[in-house]
Structure formats: C-alpha cells, structure tokens
Amino acid sequence: MTGNKFYFRISILVLIVIISWTSYHILDNGKEEESYPVSVIVDDSNNDRWIALRLGLEQAARDYQIDLNYVFTGKLTNAEEEKGFINRELENGAKGIIVQMISSEEDAVELGEILSKAAFVLLESDVKPENLYALVEPDNIGIGKAIANAVKEDFGEELNGKKIGILSGNQNQVSLQQRLSGVEEGFMEETVDIVWCIENRNTVERDNLQLAEAETVDLIIALENDETEKMVDYMLMEETDDTPLLYGVGCSEKTVYYLNKGIIKTLVVPNEFSMGYQSMEAMANQLQYHSDKAESGQVDYLVIDRTNMYDKENQKVLFPIAQ
C-alpha cells in the first residue's frame, strides 16, 4: 500500500504540472504581445548616404524588438510634404516617428501640430527639443572646425592668402549654419580669403554653372554629403592642372571611393551608424519603458584621409555593412 500511495501521489503531482503548463500556454497564446511599429522618415531615403544610419536603426530595432518601417520618400522639397508623410504613417498605425526635419523654422510649427499623436525622435534636426522629444545629431560646429583644422594642418604657414570656396548646402537648416560657423571660427586667426559661398542649389547642372562663373580658388570646402558628391562630379568633368583641393563632409560609398582615389583630400564622416542606433534606442525608451524623459544625444565624427582610412576603427564607421 505504501508503494501504491507513493505512485498515486507522484501521478497526481505530474497531472497538476501538466494541467498548469497547458493552462499557462493557453492563456499565454491568447495574449497578444504589444507591437511597437516605428516609422523612419528622412530626405531622399534610398540615397546611399543613409546606409550606415539604416544599419544602426535595424540593429537597435532587433535589440529592442521594434517593428521598423523605413519609409521611401524621394527628395523632399518642403515641410508640408514631410508632414504628409508623417500623417500617413500615423494613420497606418505607427506609434513612433523618427524624422529628419528638412527646414528648421517651418518644422517647429509643423511638428507642434502633431506632436501629441505619437512618440517622436528628431534625427539630425534643428528644432530645439526643450525636453519634449529626443534629438540625436552630429556635433555640427565641431565638424566645421575639424575641416578648418585639416586645412590648416595640410597647408601650415603656406595657408596665408589662400583663396577658399564653400559649398554650404541648405542654409535654412541650423545644422548647416552651425557647420559654416565652425569653419569660420576655425579660420578666425588665419589670413585666408573666403571668396565665395554657394548654397542651397538643387541640381548638378545649376551647381556647375555657378562654379564655372565663380572665381578660381585654391581649395573648396563642402559642408554636407550631397554637396561633396556634386563637387566631385564637377571636378571630374572639369579636371585641369589647377583643380582645387576638396575637403568635405560625407558618409556615402561615393565619397569614400573618391577619398581613396585622391579626388577628396580629407573627409569628415559623422558616425551615422551610432546616430541610427541612438535614435531607435531613444524611441524604445519612450515606447517600451514609458520614459517621460526625452534623452537627446550627440554622435561623434571621424576626420579621415588616405593615410588613416584603413585603420581598423575607421573601417568600422566607413564600412559598417561589412562588420
């Protein structure tokens, strides 16, 4: 009898475990996991300058179980068009929006109208967050100063009297205003002549016309990726014995290729993988952990030329897709 009682009790215990396990999984399967769809909106989203950023977004989305929707935009022309993309994503169920604002003053107004509809993270933007939403951006003044420092290191005492041209990008954006200010600060104690500054052009053809009419300079500084690429195109078409040296900001495969070819003398590369990861991490903190604190972040940058572009750490930033 003692043995029978023992086996009876074991049988009851096993039965209880089976019932408990089955009940748990029935209840668990009936409970839907909360979904966190997040849309990312950037200008000209399929441009390869965003490759590193997108890889950072995707890595963080995997780490934080975020449903990432990287929106195809084409070239955005104004804040109203961008607002249309944001509203469409909200209507389609996005709980969070990571967005690169394309025009500072307009965007502050446009964002204010839809801010309460979802969690927002501003990417490489100019609108002051005021603790309402996270902002992840490069150190733009630092980038401008870094370009000026690279020029000073290359020319040394021979810099005095050199003529400089600047492709400054869209000066409606505070980020590019800051880069231009950084360049000017970097040259403040130098006797250089900034003879022209071409800004906010929309086509390569128009840029070429402007440059063809511009005064000849010793070197050109391009303050963002598109402007650096446009200058490369112009230099390849108009190559002469007095082709100016090019110092630029860039992160696309094209800019890295022409750095290696010697067309670009020095390239300042914002760490866009980190920018993508940090922005998605900030979004996850808002959605999953219901954080009231909008944490902003600033990403670093690299100053790269042909002497250091194959350094291990630089390769990680230049070619994150291979890591």
Side-chain angles (χ1 to χ4, degrees):
M1 290 295 294
T2 302
N4 290 337
K5 286 182 180 180
F6 173 76
Y7 287 114
F8 177 74
R9 288 173 180 172
I10 290 295
S11 298
I12 292 296
L13 181 61
V14 169
L15 184 60
I16 290 171
V17 170
I18 292 172
I19 291 172
S20 300
W21 184 88
T22 304
S23 299
Y24 170 80
H25 281 277
I26 290 173
L27 292 172
D28 188 59
N29 289 334
K31 182 176 65 177
E32 293 185 3
E33 289 187 7
E34 187 170 1
S35 175
Y36 299 102
V38 172
S39 294
V40 177
I41 300 170
V42 296
D43 182 33
D44 196 13
S45 59
N46 276 3
N47 190 310
D48 72 359
R49 68 144 294 188
W50 297 119
I51 289 175
L53 176 106
R54 187 167 180 175
L55 290 170
L57 289 165
E58 290 171 349
Q59 180 62 59
R62 288 192 294 270
D63 290 347
Y64 290 96
Q65 291 79 52
I66 296 290
D67 182 11
L68 168 63
N69 176 32
Y70 187 78
V71 180
F72 172 74
T73 60
K75 191 71 177 175
L76 297 174
T77 57
N78 56 60
E80 190 63 31
E81 182 182 4
E82 188 168 52
K83 181 184 174 184
F85 276 101
I86 293 173
N87 282 327
R88 187 191 69 185
E89 293 306 308
L90 293 174
E91 290 168 3
N92 289 338
K95 292 184 178 179
I97 303 286
I98 297 174
V99 58
Q100 175 212 23
M101 293 299 183
I102 64 170
S103 178
S104 306
E105 294 181 2
E106 290 178 282
D107 290 337
V109 176
E110 299 293 347
L111 185 63
E113 296 176 1
I114 54 180
L115 181 62
S116 61
K117 298 180 182 179
F120 275 83
V121 173
L122 304 187
L123 183 66
E124 199 183 55
S125 276
D126 314 307
V127 182
K128 294 181 180 179
E130 305 294 352
N131 294 322
L132 296 176
Y133 33 82
L135 168 64
V136 182
E137 63 177 348
D139 177 4
N140 291 302
I141 292 177
I143 285 173
K145 289 181 177 179
I147 294 179
N149 288 336
V151 171
K152 289 190 290 187
E153 288 178 9
D154 286 345
F155 283 87
E157 294 181 359
E158 296 180 3
L159 182 60
N160 289 342
K162 294 296 183 184
K163 294 182 178 181
I164 299 175
I166 299 177
L167 294 177
S168 60
N170 181 4
Q171 286 295 299
N172 288 328
Q173 294 184 349
V174 173
S175 57
L176 290 174
Q177 293 173 20
Q178 291 171 338
R179 290 182 189 181
L180 182 57
S181 294
V183 170
E184 292 170 343
E185 281 185 48
F187 288 134
M188 192 171 293
E189 297 181 2
E190 305 295 331
T191 309
V192 297
D193 184 10
I194 298 177
V195 297
W196 51 258
C197 184
I198 298 175
E199 64 175 87
N200 200 27
R201 300 278 74 90
N202 295 320
T203 66
V204 172
E205 291 75 20
R206 191 173 179 186
D207 282 340
N208 290 343
L209 178 63
Q210 294 271 333
L211 285 165
E213 295 173 348
E215 182 178 342
T216 302
V217 293
D218 299 297
L219 62 104
I220 292 175
I221 292 172
L223 294 182
E224 54 102 17
N225 190 86
D226 286 352
E227 300 299 297
T228 303
E229 289 188 357
K230 289 174 184 177
M231 191 60 221
V232 166
D233 292 338
Y234 179 79
M235 291 171 71
L236 290 173
M237 288 188 290
E238 303 290 333
E239 190 171 359
T240 63
D241 292 337
D242 59 350
T243 300
L245 296 175
L246 174 58
Y247 295 77
V249 178
C251 51
S252 66
E253 291 179 353
K254 181 175 180 176
T255 57
V256 174
Y257 175 80
Y258 283 106
L259 173 69
N260 189 44
K261 298 290 285 185
I263 301 297
I264 301 172
K265 183 69 172 65
T266 298
L267 192 65
V268 179
V269 184
N271 189 341
E272 297 214 339
F273 180 93
S274 180
M275 188 159 65
Y277 194 95
Q278 285 188 37
S279 61
M280 187 60 76
E281 187 174 48
M283 178 59 71
N285 285 335
Q286 292 184 58
L287 292 177
Q288 296 179 348
Y289 307 115
H290 308 289
S291 173
D292 293 329
K293 185 179 180 182
E295 294 187 1
S296 296
Q298 194 172 73
V299 300
D300 59 355
Y301 57 84
L302 300 175
V303 181
I304 299 179
D305 58 27
R306 296 175 77 186
T307 68
N308 67 1
M309 70 177 296
Y310 289 104
D311 291 355
K312 185 175 180 181
E313 291 306 310
N314 291 345
Q315 287 281 294
K316 289 180 181 178
V317 174
L318 291 175
F319 305 107
I321 199 167
Q323 305 304 316

